[in-house]
Amino acid sequence: MRTNIVAGNWKMNKIFEEADDLIANIADFVRNNELENTAVIICPPSLYIELATDLAQETELYVGAQNLSNYESGAYTGEISAAMLESMGVDYCIIGHSERRKYFKESHEVLAEKVNIALKYNVTPIFCCGELLPEREAAQHFDIVKTQLEQSVFHLKEGDFKNLVIAYEPVWAIGTGVTASPDQAQEMHKYIRGLINDKYGKETAESSSILYGGSCNANNAKELFANPDVDGGLIGGASLKADEFIKIIQSI
Ligand code: 13P
């Protein structure tokens, strides 16, 4: 049985006091509620990772980073390495988010390097894929997602691929209030699982968690998560308020 996951991607939001408050509220919820077969992950800005791992101690709350360097260590001003993340108790890292592809020009090749180095240091990649609006309108969305997976994660050996989470995030749905319909999400998730099946076989395909991201909130999460191939969500804006994020967790 595969794991359901609800992950919050805070992006570049929250000053220290707000972060402290939000993490404490989510940690309290996770501490006081049995969440069967569901992992809750928060991905705050890296500056708050130590705060998050401290507050998450002795709870089932996991901490993820939003980015890591494709380099191992050394003279790379401003970067954070996979080894550093591992040493701080970080379990996950978002890789391939469309905002990093767009604003930081991260290529398929760099993303493949990031995936490799994360796995080397026992950090589970949450690998994001998804098409732009014109690509969907031109009915290229399946090809785009296939290429993203082929170029950055399908080089992995099966044993490594099993330590990876996929997030389908149609770019037109991110931060727009326009969510993919449950049917659109299910269609793409099923397609992705089919690609994993072709590459790695049935067992790996069936055990891979595939998350949906893009304007997922407390009102639409239940309908999205009800789909057989949607194993949870990667939540942006709606992960910034404890009560809303908790409602999303309760929707799984
Ligand atoms: P929103 O939930 O704000 O649309 O963002 C989704 C996202 O990009 C998560 O990584």
Side-chain angles (χ1 to χ4, degrees):
M1 194 187 212
R2 53 186 175 259
T3 311
N4 293 316
I5 296 175
V6 178
N9 174 10
W10 292 14
K11 310 190 180 181
M12 196 172 70
N13 291 294
K14 302 291 179 190
I15 59 167
F16 179 79
E17 289 79 8
E18 295 166 339
D20 193 21
D21 204 41
L22 180 53
I23 299 165
N25 281 323
I26 297 166
D28 270 353
F29 172 79
V30 173
R31 187 179 291 111
N32 297 323
N33 291 272
E34 283 275 310
L35 299 169
E36 214 178 303
N37 193 39
T38 300
V40 179
I41 307 168
I42 48 168
C43 304
S46 297
L47 204 54
Y48 306 141
I49 277 176
E50 188 174 8
L51 174 70
T53 50
D54 278 355
L55 291 171
Q57 249 177 40
E58 285 163 38
T59 76
E60 294 289 305
L61 178 62
Y62 296 93
V63 178
Q66 296 175 18
N67 184 32
L68 85 179
S69 176
N70 51 321
Y71 297 109
E72 188 105 26
S73 68
Y76 301 101
T77 302
E79 290 292 272
I80 290 175
S81 73
M84 293 174 195
L85 294 179
E86 183 188 37
S87 73
M88 295 300 290
V90 173
D91 294 302
Y92 293 87
C93 184
I94 298 170
I95 297 176
H97 194 283
S98 62
E99 287 149 18
R100 296 219 53 97
R101 292 178 193 262
K102 177 178 175 188
Y103 299 121
F104 304 97
K105 311 280 176 261
E106 292 190 357
S107 64
H108 296 310
E109 293 72 27
V110 163
L111 296 177
E113 289 170 10
K114 290 190 174 197
V115 164
N116 292 343
I117 206 152
L119 289 167
K120 177 172 174 187
Y121 287 94
N122 303 306
V123 174
T124 299
I126 301 175
F127 182 80
C128 303
C129 55
E131 79 286 356
L132 303 168
L133 184 58
E135 292 165 343
R136 178 162 280 262
E137 286 172 345
Q140 293 166 345
H141 43 299
F142 294 117
D143 288 345
I144 293 291
V145 166
K146 186 176 184 204
T147 301
Q148 290 170 338
L149 295 172
E150 279 176 351
Q151 298 288 313
S152 302
V153 297
F154 279 173
H155 63 281
L156 294 172
K157 298 214 169 73
E158 187 179 0
D160 281 335
F161 187 86
K162 282 182 178 212
N163 294 323
L164 183 118
V165 174
I166 303 277
Y168 170 56
E169 297 207 313
V171 182
W172 47 271
I174 296 177
T176 58
V178 181
T179 318
S181 69
D183 286 350
Q184 285 173 320
Q186 168 57 23
E187 184 186 38
M188 181 59 85
H189 284 228
K190 190 174 173 200
Y191 174 73
I192 293 171
R193 203 176 303 286
L195 294 176
I196 300 170
N197 182 71
D198 293 347
K199 175 79 192 165
Y200 297 107
K202 189 157 188 263
E203 195 218 318
T204 300
E206 287 303 318
S207 63
S208 294
S209 298
I210 307 175
L211 315 184
Y212 169 79
S215 297
C216 181
N217 58 41
N219 293 324
N220 58 31
K222 218 180 180 74
E223 238 192 324
L224 287 161
F225 298 168
N227 287 290
D229 289 297
V230 178
D231 307 310
L234 180 56
I235 319 297
S239 72
L240 297 174
K241 289 195 196 122
D243 54 348
E244 175 136 27
F245 190 58
I246 287 166
K247 280 190 196 142
I248 296 172
I249 299 166
Q250 289 169 324
S251 306
I252 199 102

